[in-house]
Amino acid sequence: MGMMQRILWNNRREFLEGLLVTAQISLIAIAVAMVGGLVICLLRMYCRPLRWLATLYIEFCRSTPIYVQLMWVNYVWPELFGWPQSFFAAGWAALALQSSGYLAETFRSGIEGIARGQREAALSTGLTPFLTMRWVILPQAVLMMTPSLMNQFLVVVKSSCLVSVIAVPDLMYRALRLTSIWFEPIEILSFTAFLYVAIVFVLSAAIKWYSDRLRSRYA
Amino acid sequence: MIGEWMQAVTGSLFWEYRSILLFGLATNFSVFFLSAVLAVGMGLVACLARLSPLPSLRWCGAFYAELFRNTPEYVLLVWVHFVPPLLLTVLLHTRVNFSPLFSAVVALGLASSGYFTETFRAGILSIPRGHVEAARSTGLSGVLTLRWVILPQAVRKMLPEALNQFISLLKSTTLVSLIAVPDLMYQVAMITQEQMRPMPLYSGAAIIYFVIILTLSALVRKISEGWRAVGRV
């Protein structure tokens, strides 16, 4: 027990810094994924010539394992597009790529879920298509999509431990490095697993609570 | 630029190594089948525990499901591969090692069983209580009620969700390369080291997984629709 406390406590900075990187990369990834997902969703719904491309993109993001995407972004994109040049950027780009496909579908079902009559009514009162989107469709759609959006964030947090594979110094990376330094996998890896479980559990409980509250208030 | 793009999609390097890559893909599928068996088995056990009349058993089942649903698969994979063998070594005073394949199957099976627990539970709970009471009052025994009344309806309800879980599990099998199980991604990494040409290899791997999983999801969608149509009596 004393041993365990010493290793974990003496390296608390490592764990904290790792957690910070995990939080950073997850937040960047979900923010980029939201923007990307929205663009792709709008392309798919309202831009006929590019619909097939958007559909292919969505299917690709949803049907390829996240680890494969991470490797692909990390090794192939720099040669193909000249970007990303850092592991951190490759990490969030891959996480965002995966989520943007799922979010595009979430957004689409949210927008399509709004009854057609609402759109027609808004247009016939003289609102432009843009204003209809801004003031009639989006406010309702956002309310409906919020729970799935937050769940996607949870998925990002869970997948983010994979970026340790490409040497992004997140929580998992630090844990593996500490293990190879101290050679105490039992303490270090168990504590890390506990941290991940606790974070994901707390986040998912919070999401469930918030979604229930939204539903009881507005639905 | 165009040359690089072409290189990304041409399959010559892939064709050269086709046998080793196919073997990798076969490894993906064997890990998938073994861990699917474990996941369904443990999922059923935990689901029965969650539905049992004993509060302590119910609590254990809920804890089990929550634990494995909330652990990232990669973290669980690494943990299973390194920690239990050491603990067993300390306990049994003999050196214990898990083979990568064994760790992979256990970790992915457990991770996935948490989701199966919830899927099975939702399926069974969706059967109205009245059906059970009606079946029992016509004289069917408990086992017969389960076999002829509950299961046929519950399976139909949970099949689409369960099939989606299987697809997620198949996607997760790509992680096992990280503990040196020789799956497709592992072989790709090895060939990349030899050839120093990551672009065609990783693009090829992504396309292969894309095609396989897209085909399977389309199949699942078709099957689910068929089942739903049958269920609508």
Side-chain angles (χ1 to χ4, degrees):
Chain A
M1 240 12 214
M3 178 78 175
M4 175 172 161
Q5 278 168 4
R6 208 166 61 231
I7 287 185
L8 296 181
W9 182 248
N10 286 350
N11 291 296
R12 62 191 181 280
R13 270 188 67 108
E14 284 282 310
F15 285 109
L16 278 175
E17 280 168 15
L19 272 176
L20 207 66
V21 174
T22 295
Q24 246 174 4
I25 208 164
S26 307
L27 285 171
I28 295 177
I30 194 75
V32 174
M34 277 167 66
V35 175
L38 190 64
V39 170
I40 295 294
C41 154
L42 292 177
L43 277 184
R44 178 171 178 175
M45 291 182 71
Y46 300 116
C47 182
R48 262 181 190 283
L50 290 178
R51 170 174 292 172
W52 66 274
L53 198 65
T55 310
L56 184 72
Y57 175 91
I58 293 171
E59 290 302 332
F60 178 79
C61 296
R62 284 156 39 109
S63 307
T64 351
I66 176 68
Y67 174 55
V68 178
Q69 284 177 6
L70 182 69
M71 290 291 124
W72 187 62
V73 169
N74 188 45
Y75 285 111
V76 179
W77 280 22
E79 284 185 59
L80 227 48
F81 309 116
W83 186 88
Q85 292 298 338
S86 75
F87 292 134
F88 187 79
W92 65 250
L95 291 173
L97 183 71
Q98 165 111 344
S99 286
S100 65
Y102 282 99
L103 286 182
E105 287 298 84
T106 306
F107 292 148
R108 190 168 68 103
S109 63
I111 293 174
E112 283 178 352
I114 307 303
R116 224 187 147 63
Q118 301 232 10
R119 188 183 153 81
E120 282 160 4
L123 288 174
S124 66
T125 56
L127 285 175
T128 62
F130 176 77
L131 286 178
T132 306
M133 190 55 126
R134 168 70 188 79
W135 292 106
V136 180
I137 298 182
L138 273 190
Q140 301 182 69
V142 166
L143 200 65
M144 273 173 49
M145 301 181 297
T146 304
S148 0
L149 220 151
M150 291 191 296
N151 276 320
Q152 192 60 40
F153 178 63
L154 200 65
V155 173
V156 171
V157 172
K158 266 179 84 177
S159 316
S160 75
C161 64
L162 279 174
V163 300
S164 64
V165 176
I166 56 168
V168 175
D170 75 332
L171 180 58
M172 188 62 184
Y173 179 84
R174 312 234 180 197
L176 292 174
R177 209 186 50 183
L178 285 178
T179 307
S180 66
I181 294 173
W182 295 98
F183 209 73
E184 293 290 348
I186 298 180
E187 290 86 348
I188 298 168
L189 291 181
S190 304
F191 179 64
T192 308
F194 167 77
L195 275 182
Y196 271 108
V197 175
I199 291 167
V200 176
F201 179 78
V202 169
L203 271 179
S204 70
I207 288 171
K208 197 169 174 317
W209 174 80
Y210 189 70
S211 312
D212 287 346
R213 217 178 70 133
L214 270 186
R215 202 171 306 135
S216 64
R217 186 180 283 185
Y218 296 106
Chain B
M1 188 72 177
I2 299 295
E4 284 166 359
W5 280 73
M6 284 308 289
Q7 202 197 8
V9 287
T10 51
S12 59
L13 199 56
F14 242 75
W15 186 247
E16 203 179 320
Y17 286 96
R18 60 192 175 281
S19 58
I20 200 170
L21 290 169
L22 262 177
F23 174 74
L25 200 58
T27 309
N28 270 120
F29 277 99
S30 20
V31 171
F32 166 72
F33 281 117
L34 292 173
S35 43
V37 171
L38 180 66
V40 170
M42 290 305 290
L44 266 180
V45 171
C47 160
L48 290 180
R50 277 210 73 169
L51 295 172
S52 93
L54 291 175
S56 55
L57 262 183
R58 268 208 306 272
W59 196 85
C60 282
F63 179 75
Y64 178 91
E66 282 303 320
L67 180 67
F68 288 116
R69 268 161 24 120
N70 290 328
T71 321
E73 276 134 350
Y74 177 46
V75 175
L76 190 64
L77 192 67
V78 171
W79 191 86
V80 167
H81 193 50
F82 291 108
V83 176
L86 269 180
L87 287 176
L88 285 175
T89 303
V90 173
L91 276 177
L92 303 174
H93 300 293
T94 47
R95 185 137 181 75
V96 180
N97 264 320
F98 286 179
S99 77
L101 185 68
F102 179 80
S103 308
V105 168
V106 170
L108 293 184
L110 289 179
S112 185
S113 71
Y115 291 99
F116 276 108
T117 306
E118 292 302 305
T119 308
F120 292 154
R121 192 175 87 106
I124 289 177
L125 285 182
S126 72
I127 310 302
R129 241 199 117 58
H131 287 211
V132 182
E133 284 159 4
R136 295 309 301 271
S137 66
T138 57
L140 284 176
S141 67
V143 176
L144 286 178
T145 306
L146 190 70
R147 168 70 187 81
W148 292 107
V149 179
I150 300 179
L151 278 188
Q153 301 186 70
V155 166
R156 198 170 291 144
K157 278 255 167 61
M158 60 198 165
L159 198 78
E161 186 56 33
L163 288 178
N164 281 328
Q165 302 291 350
F166 281 128
I167 288 193
S168 309
L169 178 58
L170 181 62
K171 281 161 93 178
S172 309
T173 58
T174 51
L175 295 180
V176 301
S177 60
L178 293 170
I179 55 167
V181 176
D183 80 328
L184 179 59
M185 283 307 275
Y186 181 82
Q187 308 289 17
V188 164
M190 291 295 115
I191 300 170
T192 303
Q193 276 184 9
E194 215 174 282
Q195 297 276 340
M196 302 306 280
R197 282 166 67 198
M199 185 147 72
L201 284 166
Y202 280 110
S203 302
I207 291 170
I208 287 185
Y209 281 116
F210 175 48
V211 170
I212 291 177
I213 292 170
L214 191 67
T215 313
L216 288 176
S217 341
L219 207 67
V220 162
R221 219 169 295 149
K222 221 173 143 67
I223 294 175
S224 309
E225 273 160 20
W227 274 84
R228 221 167 277 145
V230 173
R232 224 182 286 125
V233 185

